[in-house]
Amino acid sequence: MENFSIQPIINLTDNLSSMFKELAVNKDDVLLTTKHIIAPYLNPADLPLDVIYLENYIHGEPTDKAADQLLKKANEKDYRRIIAIGGGSVIDNAKLLVYGGNKTITEIAATGNQLPKKRQLVIVPTTTGTGSEVTNVAVFNFLDKKTKVGLAYPSMFADQVYLIGDLTKSMPYKVFATSSIDALVHSIESYLSPKATSFSRIFSAAAMKIIIQGYLKIILADQIGHTPQGALLQKFLEASTMAGVAFSNAGCGPVHALAYPIGATYHIAHGQSNYLVFNGTFNKYQELGADLSALEQILAEILPVKPADTLTELNKLINHILPNQSLSQIGMTSETCRQFAASVIKNQQRLLINSPIKLSETDVADIYQSLL
């Protein structure tokens, strides 16, 4: 039996003021955001709610230690609703806050399926990549494990999502590039997942088309290095959410699994970590005989090129948007390849089961090694 669902209600609105009015925020609500994101649009002090600024607890990508500090702060009061405005770090941390009480992230990781949801969650994404607003996945760097771990429990789905393109216009180009690449990888991996359905593939394919065509428009307009604006930026935001719907149902796969220890160790943006291992992973798929024909046909129509040339041409296209690096350039060695491969097999089975073909620890090490 195949299942498909979209959990949160997705709203399109023009600005934050309209959203806050519609939500009728009050003292039982708490806003989780960052100062640099919210300051250009409003003064939270003018709203009848509490505000927690993420940068007071977390610097860089989310870690388990920092999450515990944030949980302690957010659980000082019995809030009814969490409103999260920000990128992936804000969104992932907000998902932990739905449980209330005095739980640590380790306790949530161990018992999240059994814990009741005590707070509603409203998410407003401000980047064009994570798709996390429509998933129940939150990713944290567990420092002792030296890798990122994804938590995914039903209670962590948002209740409502607001897509406000205006909030993404101030993204630095590097953030736009890495986040949109992340969304593209979401769409491709979810399309290939054994869990994919005819419904989820519609969202995967739509996201691929919007992102790739958007990249082509940027290149043709000689706008590389500049975050797109207006209608095109809104399209990227919507594509990110579409890809989120797809991988919420079908999951992501080995590209994400291999990217996690890289991001955790070298503190590289998640989308860029995915890009570092994307080509090597797909080369390994082809070497092992994975059936990529349906994906190649879709990409051939979008790019447009012959199906056999799609992955080569796609990598060329992405490389225009963000030049790639070798793994040796970021500091990896043959020994690191072996260590990361062992970590992936041990810690990322949640993702590896979504591979179009089974990968062994040797296969994973080979992928890393081929990219040095």
Side-chain angles (χ1 to χ4, degrees):
M1 182 175 72
E2 293 186 348
N3 296 303
F4 177 80
S5 67
I6 302 176
Q7 296 284 346
I9 297 171
I10 301 173
N11 305 276
L12 300 178
T13 190
D14 293 332
N15 54 63
L16 278 177
S17 297
S18 298
M19 183 197 77
F20 281 120
K21 183 177 180 180
E22 182 177 313
L23 291 173
V25 296
N26 57 56
K27 61 182 177 60
D28 294 325
D29 299 318
V30 61
L31 170 63
L32 179 66
T33 188
T34 64
K35 292 178 183 176
H36 81 273
I37 285 175
I38 202 71
Y41 302 98
L42 57 83
N43 180 3
D46 295 334
L47 298 170
L49 47 59
D50 289 344
V51 182
I52 298 176
Y53 290 111
L54 188 71
E55 63 265 34
N56 291 339
Y57 302 89
I58 293 173
H59 300 284
E61 294 195 324
T63 69
D64 54 342
K65 305 299 183 186
D68 279 340
Q69 296 177 27
L70 180 63
L71 281 163
K72 183 177 180 180
K73 172 63 179 178
N75 292 331
E76 288 177 357
K77 292 180 67 174
D78 189 20
Y79 295 111
R80 177 180 65 91
R81 187 167 54 183
I82 310 296
I83 300 171
I85 301 176
S89 294
V90 169
I91 294 171
D92 283 4
N93 279 278
K95 291 176 181 178
L96 296 181
L97 306 185
V98 301
Y99 293 108
N102 296 306
K103 301 296 182 183
T104 66
I105 189 173
T106 299
E107 291 171 322
I108 293 171
T111 61
N113 271 326
Q114 290 78 46
L115 295 175
K117 183 173 186 174
K118 294 185 176 180
R119 295 164 172 165
Q120 294 181 35
L121 177 59
V122 178
I123 295 178
V124 187
T126 59
T127 63
T128 55
T130 69
S132 184
E133 62 273 10
V134 288
T135 79
N136 64 336
V137 179
V139 180
F140 294 85
N141 182 4
F142 279 68
L143 297 176
D144 290 341
K145 292 184 177 182
K146 297 182 180 179
T147 192
K148 294 184 179 181
V149 176
L151 309 182
Y153 302 116
S155 293
M156 290 165 60
F157 276 110
D159 298 282
Q160 293 200 71
V161 168
Y162 283 82
L163 300 182
I164 309 174
D166 191 51
L167 297 185
T168 64
K169 67 183 182 182
S170 60
M171 274 190 302
Y173 177 79
K174 179 77 176 289
V175 175
F176 161 74
T178 58
S179 63
S180 60
I181 290 170
D182 191 19
L184 181 58
V185 175
H186 288 157
S187 64
I188 292 173
E189 289 212 285
S190 60
Y191 188 89
L192 288 175
S193 170
K195 297 177 186 173
T197 68
S198 54
F199 288 99
S200 71
R201 287 194 182 99
I202 290 172
F203 283 83
S204 297
M208 277 185 246
K209 183 175 181 179
I210 293 170
I211 294 168
I212 291 171
Q213 289 183 340
Y215 285 165
L216 291 170
K217 288 178 181 178
I218 290 170
I219 293 168
L220 288 173
D222 195 24
Q223 290 296 306
I224 295 172
H226 303 278
T227 300
Q229 299 294 304
L232 182 55
L233 187 58
Q234 176 71 26
K235 285 291 187 182
F236 272 102
L237 179 61
E238 293 173 10
S240 172
T241 301
M242 291 176 189
V245 170
F247 88 78
S248 177
N249 283 274
C252 288
V255 173
H256 274 71
L258 272 71
Y260 279 159
I262 293 175
T265 303
Y266 299 102
H267 308 293
I268 292 171
H270 180 55
Q272 188 172 1
S273 299
N274 282 329
Y275 183 26
L276 286 169
V277 297
F278 178 82
N279 194 38
T281 302
F282 275 77
N283 286 341
K284 178 58 73 171
Y285 289 165
Q286 291 175 321
E287 177 189 324
L288 295 176
D291 183 5
L292 306 179
S293 58
L295 172 67
E296 290 171 343
Q297 186 59 48
I298 287 177
L299 292 174
E301 293 171 2
I302 301 171
L303 283 166
V305 294
K306 294 178 181 178
D309 298 332
T310 53
L311 294 173
T312 299
E313 293 303 315
L314 180 61
N315 273 287
K316 288 180 182 178
L317 175 66
I318 301 173
N319 201 54
H320 281 295
I321 300 299
L322 183 70
N324 209 351
Q325 295 175 283
S326 68
L327 296 186
S328 60
Q329 285 178 292
I330 65 169
M332 285 185 64
T333 64
S334 294
E335 178 59 26
T336 316
C337 293
R338 291 188 288 272
Q339 293 172 353
F340 281 9
S343 173
V344 167
I345 295 299
K346 178 181 178 181
N347 297 306
Q348 305 300 341
Q349 289 300 319
R350 177 183 68 88
L351 297 168
L352 292 177
I353 61 172
N354 299 325
S355 176
I357 196 165
K358 185 175 178 60
L359 297 178
S360 67
E361 184 173 331
T362 299
D363 293 328
V364 174
D366 285 348
I367 293 170
Y368 284 133
Q369 188 69 37
S370 72
L371 297 169
L372 286 178

